[in-house]
Amino acid sequence: GENVEQHPSTLSVQEGDSAVIKCTYSDSASNYFPWYKQELGKRPQLIIDIRSNVGEKKDQRIAVTLNKTAKHFSLHITETQPEDSAVYFCAASPYSSASKIIFGSGTRLSIRP
Amino acid sequence: GAVVSQHPSWVICKSGTSVKIECRSLDFQATTMFWYRQFPKQSLMLMATSNEGSKATYEQGVEKDKFLINHASLTLSTLTVTSAHPEDSSFYICSARPLEVLDEQFFGPGTRLTVL
């Protein structure tokens, strides 16, 4: 089955700087890669996703890159703000009618004022 | 659109009792729903895939007789934690996928279970 590894587990950046979170996956059949932001006691919130037919996707300050050959994908947050502080999870899923989403271990991002 | 609800949002029960958690897709139909468990400061771990009209598929290490799943309609799945013990205390989150979507899932708000 799919295994998703995520690094780093914690990340502290100065407000205004960029943050990068990296993930690797094991199942070459995976072709949907969502990223979630989770605040304490809340549900995961989808912030961006990418499918395997593209290598990069950007939405304002957030971008995701995907390297299918290396089975790597990364989240980039630019111009970080205090409200970006949260736990971020990467995930991977094969594209099928019953496909399940497997989560990485999470990154606790802290933005220093 | 694509709203998923869970009930209850939190529950406290005594050890040995059973607890039922409901997951509903409010504005779409879902043949597939998923149940996750999240312990403090850990990731979401998939417990099982709930299939409308058929048996659930459990992940390795999840006891199907302890975590009973019923997906009786296209908008409702239930998870029953039977004979709950303190180690079952966790945050349980469901997700659902609309019929016409093959990848994105929509998450419920979660249920905090505390077993005394």
Side-chain angles (χ1 to χ4, degrees):
Chain A
E2 177 64 276
N3 182 48
V4 180
E5 294 191 357
Q6 182 171 348
H7 301 279
S9 56
T10 60
L11 180 61
S12 178
V13 301
Q14 192 75 34
E15 182 178 351
D17 288 350
S18 297
V20 179
I21 302 171
K22 298 183 178 182
C23 290
T24 61
Y25 63 98
S26 62
D27 189 348
S28 58
S30 289
N31 53 12
Y32 174 62
F33 305 92
W35 285 87
Y36 298 92
K37 176 183 181 182
Q38 187 182 33
E39 297 177 346
L40 189 63
K42 304 289 186 180
R43 78 186 84 193
Q45 175 191 357
L46 179 69
I47 56 172
I48 196 168
D49 56 16
I50 191 167
R51 294 172 176 83
S52 60
N53 55 338
V54 298
E56 184 173 350
K57 183 177 178 180
K58 188 174 181 180
D59 182 5
Q60 299 182 333
R61 298 187 295 110
I62 296 173
V64 58
T65 58
L66 172 64
N67 182 330
K68 282 223 75 177
T69 302
K71 298 182 187 173
H72 290 174
F73 58 116
S74 301
L75 177 72
H76 303 251
I77 305 175
T78 59
E79 301 173 18
T80 53
Q81 301 169 2
E83 54 265 35
D84 294 329
S85 294
V87 179
Y88 291 80
F89 293 98
C90 63
S93 175
Y95 188 81
S96 73
S97 61
S99 52
K100 50 193 178 184
I101 290 179
I102 302 301
F103 284 76
S105 54
T107 297
R108 183 171 299 276
L109 175 63
S110 300
I111 307 301
R112 304 190 302 272
Chain B
V3 178
V4 177
S5 70
Q6 275 183 249
H7 179 81
S9 56
W10 60 270
V11 57
I12 301 173
C13 70
K14 292 182 179 180
S15 186
T17 61
S18 295
V19 174
K20 180 184 284 188
I21 302 170
E22 294 185 349
C23 177
R24 293 182 184 271
S25 54
L26 298 185
D27 52 3
F28 65 95
Q29 294 182 324
T31 55
T32 305
M33 294 184 174
F34 302 87
W35 287 96
Y36 294 84
R37 179 168 54 182
Q38 185 176 32
F39 292 109
K41 298 188 177 181
Q42 294 188 22
S43 185
L44 283 79
M45 298 302 296
L46 180 65
M47 299 175 67
T49 301
S50 173
N51 305 298
E52 187 269 335
S54 65
K55 292 182 179 180
T57 304
Y58 290 82
E59 294 298 301
Q60 189 173 7
V62 178
E63 299 175 59
K64 62 179 181 181
D65 294 330
K66 179 170 181 63
F67 299 99
L68 302 180
I69 292 172
N70 185 286
H71 193 156
S73 76
L74 289 173
T75 59
L76 173 64
S77 176
T78 60
L79 169 69
T80 301
V81 183
T82 63
S83 186
H85 291 284
E87 57 265 30
D88 298 321
S89 298
S90 188
F91 192 48
Y92 291 85
I93 306 176
C94 72
S95 67
R97 175 181 294 124
L99 293 178
E100 63 277 15
V101 174
L102 291 183
D103 47 31
E104 188 174 359
Q105 296 178 18
F106 298 92
F107 287 83
T111 297
R112 173 76 56 192
L113 170 63
T114 301
V115 184
L116 302 177

